Amino acid sequence: MPGGPAFFVQKRVGLNGKLFKCHKFRTMTVKHNGSSVSVAGDSRITPFGAKLRHYKLDELPGLWDVLIGNMSFVGPRPDVPGYADTLQGDDRDVLKLRPGITGPATLKYRLEDEYLANARTLAYGLQLTAYGITKEELEKMSDQEVAVWYNDNVIYPDKVRLNCYYYRHYSFIKDIQMIICTVLGKKMEYAGEII
């Protein structure tokens, strides 16, 4: 990766809400100011970084985090502070899980940055008033702001739902299936849907 270190280390929320250092291959330029939500084509992502992200190879250093006990192979992806650590009520069950390299939400949103690149179109397909926003308000937002809004109001709550289901319906067989589907880039049936 030009202009900086190959590894990206960032504090993430782990088991019981404890912060830990998560390791990945760096896919963005070193000097950038921006949101923790990235979309495909984001100018901060290097061309090589885009390939690493697409094939999930940027996650390989996470095996170190598994080895030292901060993460597991399957579980919810570790979030940056401001997401999982702010969950309320039964949704906090997500914090009872060791974060994973893959999991049900990771499989469903495998190409999340590519998905978020279409956030405006996806948002227009929603019943916006149910989310407390109007089409006019959405039109005033930049594409990056719409991506963050869509992530925070649509994708993230769905990830929490899937991860809570995982917590309440744990299955070793499903864990093995998720690992295989992650490696092979396949889909599977989980919680009554295809992820």
Side-chain angles (χ1 to χ4, degrees):
M1 298 300 292
F7 293 101
F8 173 72
V9 181
Q10 185 180 47
K11 286 191 176 179
R12 299 286 179 102
V13 178
L15 182 65
N16 298 319
K18 181 182 172 188
L19 293 179
F20 74 98
K21 290 182 180 177
C22 182
H23 299 81
K24 297 173 80 168
F25 283 126
R26 185 171 58 83
T27 60
M28 292 187 173
T29 57
V30 174
K31 294 182 180 180
H32 67 77
N33 294 324
S35 168
S36 62
V37 176
S38 59
V39 299
D42 191 320
S43 63
R44 301 173 297 170
I45 302 171
T46 67
F48 183 62
K51 294 287 184 207
L52 289 174
R53 282 171 169 244
H54 182 80
Y55 294 104
K56 299 300 182 196
L57 297 173
D58 61 321
E59 303 289 347
L60 285 175
L63 294 174
W64 170 253
D65 296 312
V66 172
L67 183 66
I68 63 173
N70 287 332
M71 290 178 64
S72 64
F73 286 106
V74 181
R77 286 295 302 152
D79 289 314
V80 294
Y83 283 92
D85 52 330
T86 64
L87 292 172
Q88 300 293 318
D90 290 342
D91 288 348
R92 289 191 65 80
D93 284 347
V94 171
L95 297 174
K96 296 176 183 175
L97 295 164
R98 193 174 306 278
I101 292 176
T102 191
T106 305
L107 282 174
K108 182 171 182 179
Y109 295 102
R110 176 185 326 253
L111 302 175
E112 183 176 338
D113 58 343
E114 295 173 23
Y115 192 70
L116 284 171
N118 298 311
R120 188 176 300 276
T121 302
L122 294 168
Y124 287 147
L126 297 172
Q127 181 67 28
L128 292 174
T129 54
Y131 293 91
I133 192 169
T134 66
K135 185 176 180 183
E136 293 74 28
E137 290 172 313
L138 202 65
E139 287 172 350
K140 292 177 184 175
M141 299 169 125
S142 70
D143 287 344
Q144 179 64 36
E145 290 170 330
V146 173
V148 170
W149 178 87
Y150 194 85
N151 177 71
D152 292 355
N153 291 278
V154 180
I155 294 177
Y156 189 70
D158 191 44
K159 287 180 176 181
V160 171
R161 177 190 63 80
L162 277 170
N163 289 326
C164 285
Y165 183 91
Y166 175 78
Y167 173 75
R168 295 179 186 109
H169 300 90
Y170 175 76
S171 165
F172 178 73
I173 299 298
K174 287 291 186 185
D175 273 10
I176 299 299
Q177 190 177 1
M178 283 185 232
I179 292 169
I180 291 169
C181 287
T182 298
V183 171
L184 298 179
K186 302 287 184 186
K187 295 189 176 290
M188 64 180 274
E189 199 230 308
Y190 187 78
E193 62 182 297
I194 302 298
I195 61 171

